[in-house]
Amino acid sequence: MELTFKQKIETIVADIPEGRVMTYGQLAALAGNPSAARIVGGVAHYGDQLLPWHRVVNKKGGLASGYHGGRLTQKEHLEAEGVLCSNSEGQWYVAVDQLIWWPEASGACISDI
């Protein structure tokens, strides 16, 4: 039985290591639909809250306003794992280019997204 798009996303998110991040677009592409980054955001908001959704950021490294508890809570969760967050004009960011994680088996790279 093939996994649904939501199940694929949740499986990948469960594997993101501490101190690393993935983007919504990256998750969408790895789950089979590169244009579904917004749908990934919906899965993050309404999906299994036991998963490490705090490790999912936008393509610029921005934290999510829709994260349960807001950006500051996501920031706290990331910083608890040693991830530095910076503030620019009221928006919190991580260094996505340094922290991006790719599952080894995917064979994809950041230029694919």
Side-chain angles (χ1 to χ4, degrees), residues 52-104:
W53 294 110
H54 61 283
R55 299 178 188 149
V56 181
V57 298
N58 72 29
K59 65 184 176 182
K60 295 179 182 179
L63 306 191
S65 62
Y67 184 79
H68 291 279
R71 289 184 179 111
L72 290 178
T73 301
Q74 185 177 10
K75 173 186 172 288
E76 290 171 6
H77 291 160
L78 287 166
E79 288 179 340
E81 296 181 357
V83 174
L84 296 176
C85 299
S86 60
N87 188 296
S88 176
E89 298 180 19
Q91 168 67 37
W92 289 98
Y93 293 91
V94 299
V96 71
D97 56 329
Q98 297 171 9
L99 299 171
I100 197 84
W101 178 74
W102 286 96
E104 291 180 28

Side-chain angles (χ1 to χ4, degrees), residues 7-89:
Q7 290 169 326
K8 289 177 186 177
I9 292 166
E10 289 181 337
T11 298
I12 298 166
V13 169
D15 290 339
I16 304 171
E18 283 189 26
R20 302 298 294 275
V21 298
M22 292 185 83
T23 68
Y24 296 100
Q26 180 187 15
L27 283 164
L30 290 171
N33 190 348
S35 62
R38 288 185 182 266
I39 294 171
V40 172
V43 172
H45 190 73
Y46 297 106
D48 182 352
Q49 292 307 302
L50 297 178
L51 294 173
W53 294 110
H54 61 283
R55 299 178 188 149
V56 181
V57 298
N58 72 29
K59 65 184 176 182
K60 295 179 182 179
L63 306 191
S65 62
Y67 184 79
H68 291 279
R71 289 184 179 111
L72 290 178
T73 301
Q74 185 177 10
K75 173 186 172 288
E76 290 171 6
H77 291 160
L78 287 166
E79 288 179 340
E81 296 181 357
V83 174
L84 296 176
C85 299
S86 60
N87 188 296
S88 176
E89 298 180 19

